[in-house]
């Protein structure tokens, strides 16, 4: 499924889940909008293992900018930590290039691992992120 298909399918599921949840608990509109944004990003996230996907192209741009930034910092300030971060970013880019599409990044484990930092913000955001990945897996299975 392509980006538009994933976003439309995810929006349909989000609306359904929202109707169910809004009957059980009260959520502010800001929180719902942020949760929807997180949900959409996470529903696209597993396809970072696909070299020509939209989300991968966005991630590549971010990684390249960070790589230039941290390499520059390491040269200018002779900073070892910045050099290690640049090395990790380069390694991440290599792993994403060689990893199999619909391999380990299309899993519940990936969903839990990538959504868990959201627990520091709000459990609702964690749920939105994890559900986004699950909805992606569901959409890919059709
Ligand atoms: Zn996929």
């Amino acid at each position: 499924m392509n980006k538009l298909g994933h976003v439309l399918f995810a929006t349909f599921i989000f609306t359904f889940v929202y109707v169910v949840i809004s009957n059980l608990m009260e959520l502010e509109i800001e929180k719902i909008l942020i949760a929807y944004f997180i949900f959409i990003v996470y529903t696209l996230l597993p396809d970072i293992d696909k070299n020509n996907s939209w989300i991968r192209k966005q991630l590549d741009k971010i990684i390249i900018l960070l790589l230039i930034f941290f390499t520059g910092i390491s040269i200018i300030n002779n900073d070892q930590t910045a050099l290690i971060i640049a090395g990790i970013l380069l390694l991440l880019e290599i792993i994403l290039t060689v990893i199999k599409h619909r391999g380990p990044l299309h899993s519940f484990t990936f969903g839990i691992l990538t959504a868990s930092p959201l627990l520091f913000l709000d459990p609702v955001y964690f749920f939105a992120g994890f559900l986004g990945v699950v909805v992606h897996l569901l959409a890919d299975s059709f």
Side-chain angles (χ1 to χ4, degrees), residues 23 64 76 90 92 121 138:
N23 287 329
I64 288 167
I76 294 164
L90 193 61
L92 177 68
L121 299 174
L138 186 68

Side-chain angles (χ1 to χ4, degrees), residues 1 6 46-47 49 101-102 106 136 140:
M1 192 177 274
H6 275 298
D47 280 346
D49 66 5
H101 176 48
R102 292 189 178 169
H106 279 65
H136 181 102
D140 272 358

Side-chain angles (χ1 to χ4, degrees), residues 14-110:
F14 187 88
T15 307
F16 178 76
V17 171
Y18 169 71
V19 168
V20 172
I21 286 179
S22 65
N23 287 329
L24 303 172
M25 58 199 275
E26 197 120 321
L27 291 170
E28 309 94 75
I29 187 74
E30 296 84 17
K31 194 175 258 189
I32 295 162
L33 290 174
I34 294 168
Y36 177 69
F37 176 76
I38 291 169
F39 182 71
I40 293 299
V41 169
Y42 275 75
T43 210
L44 295 172
L45 203 58
D47 280 346
I48 57 171
D49 66 5
K50 192 175 168 191
N51 291 334
N52 62 351
S53 70
W54 179 83
I55 190 84
R56 174 61 184 280
K57 286 174 187 162
Q58 309 315 307
L59 186 66
D60 283 348
K61 287 175 199 162
I62 294 168
I63 288 176
I64 288 167
L65 286 175
L66 288 173
L67 201 56
I68 292 168
F69 174 77
F70 283 109
T71 304
I73 294 289
S74 77
I75 292 168
I76 294 164
N77 294 347
N78 198 18
D79 186 338
Q80 297 260 308
T81 310
L83 190 64
I84 290 168
I85 293 170
I88 290 169
L89 287 166
L90 193 61
L91 188 66
L92 177 68
E93 190 60 39
I94 291 167
I95 289 170
L96 285 176
T97 303
V98 296
I99 208 166
K100 196 171 118 257
H101 176 48
R102 292 189 178 169
L105 303 192
H106 279 65
S107 66
F108 287 98
T109 310
F110 176 75

